[in-house]
Amino acid sequence: MKKQLIDLKNWLKENQGDVAFINDPANVAYLTGYESDPHERVLALLVFPDADPFLFTPALEMDDARNGAWEYDVFGYLDNENPWEIIAEKVKAAVPTVSNWAVEKEFLTLARFEALQNEFPTATFKQDLTSFMQRLKLIKTPTEIKTMIEAGKWADFAFDIGFNAIKEGVMEQEIVAEIEYQLKKKGIMQMSFSTIVLAGDNAASPHGNPGQRKIQKDELVLFDLGVVYDGYTSDATRTVAYGEPSQKAQEIYAIVLKAHQAALDAVKPGITAGELDTIARDIITDAGYGPYFNHRLGHGLGSSVHEFPSIMAGNPLVIEEGMCFSIEPGIYVPGVAGVRIEDCLYVTKDGCEVFTHTPKEYTVIG
């Protein structure tokens, strides 16, 4: 049995929990090795203090789940069946008394909670698995880090494809299509999130949507992308110049790069997440662009592209060896330009190592 499952069973014992109900697909994959996007259907992992766990999937996925790394029972349901009745039957067969449920309160929908409650009307659902799962996934193993290094290499490959696709008159969405097409040809079938390519003033929206905006000479182009490799994600951002952008745009780039590098240099065990945010934010604020840095400095990542912790102002979380997170300061000035530079990293005993190595120095394309 995986150490993580043993830790969860022990947590249930310590907290007098009778069963843990996990239906966040990312957490199911983390604990079982079975990856699935069930869409509207029910996918769940049920874990007990003393009985064997079981995986519950839609009927059309049962064979895939059984043929994977999961070594315990797999149960399922047809689309015309009530999944909650079947789950209740299997839970009652596994444990004699079910009165205290642990659930993912930040993920479980109200409708699904009510469906469980309907099957177990006298049970309580007060225990929250969210913090436990966050801590469980916080420190990455050497194997996880090795996998994320590979995911980072494919992000670098994607940047290379994207930079080579920049031409005057090419639309943002065409560059996105070229990046993802070339990755799929290499066997990388899934992006960590929807690839972002934003040009000029469009990049002043931090999470803007690539569209039919055409690349023009003398502007910055922002790329934010990542891939899923063997169940783990990468995430990185680069902003490059096409021609000679305005002096204001170049000034913004220099400030963001300074903030990014300062925060990166400060990463080590013992510093807090809030202190890292302050290091980068103070540089941007002192340069007069404080209001234009309108998001946290970074976020954790691993089997999901956005995980605990948040690298943000006021967070007292102490950074530890083995944590993985992003450093991504940005400045977004409407009507002028948007610049973000992002690397994800893993913390070492005396610093950090980044997963992506595409140059961050001011780069001119074409």
Side-chain angles (χ1 to χ4, degrees), residues 14-173:
E14 293 166 4
N15 290 275
Q16 291 77 52
D18 298 312
V19 55
F21 179 81
I22 297 167
N23 76 310
D24 179 343
N27 286 338
V28 171
Y30 179 75
L31 290 167
T32 70
Y34 178 64
E35 295 181 34
S36 168
D37 181 357
H39 303 291
E40 76 281 2
R41 296 182 174 97
V42 179
L43 171 74
L45 172 66
L46 286 294
V47 180
F48 310 94
D50 296 305
D52 285 342
F54 69 82
L55 189 56
F56 186 81
T57 76
L60 75 170
E61 296 186 18
M62 288 176 66
D63 285 346
D64 290 340
R66 285 171 175 157
N67 293 332
W70 182 244
E71 57 185 308
Y72 299 97
D73 281 336
V74 177
F75 303 113
Y77 76 104
L78 296 168
D79 288 343
N80 64 327
E81 294 180 309
N82 182 332
W84 307 105
E85 290 179 354
I86 299 172
I87 288 173
E89 173 192 332
K90 301 304 181 184
V91 168
K92 291 171 183 176
V95 291
T97 303
V98 185
S99 58
N100 191 5
W101 285 69
V103 297
E104 303 157 300
K105 290 188 177 181
E106 290 192 7
F107 189 87
L108 186 67
T109 66
L110 180 59
R112 292 187 172 191
F113 162 70
E114 290 177 343
L116 280 173
Q117 191 176 50
N118 185 59
E119 298 295 333
F120 296 89
T122 62
T124 62
F125 297 81
K126 294 181 179 179
Q127 289 184 321
D128 186 8
L129 285 165
T130 302
S131 294
F132 171 79
M133 287 303 303
Q134 287 175 342
R135 293 297 309 188
L136 189 65
K137 299 166 74 173
L138 181 61
I139 306 299
K140 270 52 181 185
T141 66
T143 299
E144 289 178 297
I145 289 172
K146 183 178 179 181
T147 305
M148 294 169 73
I149 288 171
E150 291 300 313
K153 290 178 181 178
W154 285 108
D156 284 328
F157 174 83
F159 281 132
D160 189 51
I161 296 299
F163 296 168
N164 287 331
I166 295 177
K167 293 180 178 62
E168 190 167 8
V170 173
M171 292 185 292
E172 295 166 336
Q173 63 192 25

Side-chain angles (χ1 to χ4, degrees), residues 212-232:
Q212 297 182 350
R213 164 58 153 89
K214 293 181 178 180
I215 307 297
Q216 302 170 18
K217 269 287 188 180
D218 303 329
E219 64 182 5
L220 296 175
V221 185
L222 184 152
F223 292 77
D224 189 353
L225 52 83
V227 311
V228 178
Y229 178 85
D230 199 16
Y232 283 80

Side-chain angles (χ1 to χ4, degrees), residues 149 260 264 343-346 352-357 360:
I149 288 171
H260 173 88
L264 209 59
D343 280 311
C344 288
L345 56 88
Y346 61 97
C352 70
E353 294 288 342
V354 296
F355 293 118
T356 38
H357 300 282
K360 289 170 282 192

Side-chain angles (χ1 to χ4, degrees), residues 176-325:
V176 170
E178 180 67 11
I179 290 170
E180 297 189 358
Y181 171 65
Q182 294 297 338
L183 283 167
K184 283 182 168 60
K185 285 177 65 177
K186 295 290 187 178
I188 302 298
M189 304 305 293
Q190 185 180 352
M191 306 302 291
S192 302
F193 52 93
S194 296
T195 302
I196 296 173
V197 178
L198 301 171
D201 55 350
N202 259 16
S205 174
H207 279 177
N209 293 313
Q212 297 182 350
R213 164 58 153 89
K214 293 181 178 180
I215 307 297
Q216 302 170 18
K217 269 287 188 180
D218 303 329
E219 64 182 5
L220 296 175
V221 185
L222 184 152
F223 292 77
D224 189 353
L225 52 83
V227 311
V228 178
Y229 178 85
D230 199 16
Y232 283 80
T233 60
S234 56
D235 183 7
T237 305
R238 294 291 186 271
T239 307
V240 297
Y242 181 52
E244 188 175 348
S246 68
Q247 287 299 311
K248 176 66 72 174
Q250 293 183 47
E251 172 189 285
I252 290 171
Y253 189 95
I255 295 165
V256 173
L257 179 59
K258 181 180 179 182
H260 173 88
Q261 195 59 55
L264 209 59
D265 290 343
V267 175
K268 62 180 179 180
I271 196 169
T272 69
E275 287 170 338
L276 288 174
D277 185 285
T278 297
I279 287 167
R281 198 168 300 277
D282 282 354
I283 290 171
I284 291 173
T285 299
D286 290 347
Y289 289 96
Y292 301 105
F293 179 16
N294 53 14
H295 56 75
R296 61 190 174 183
L297 179 64
H299 58 83
L301 86 163
S303 55
S304 300
V305 74
H306 279 192
E307 290 187 355
F308 178 81
S310 282
I311 309 301
M312 65 181 182
N315 186 350
L317 180 77
V318 176
I319 301 303
E320 300 175 52
E321 184 178 356
M323 287 185 182
C324 297
F325 53 84

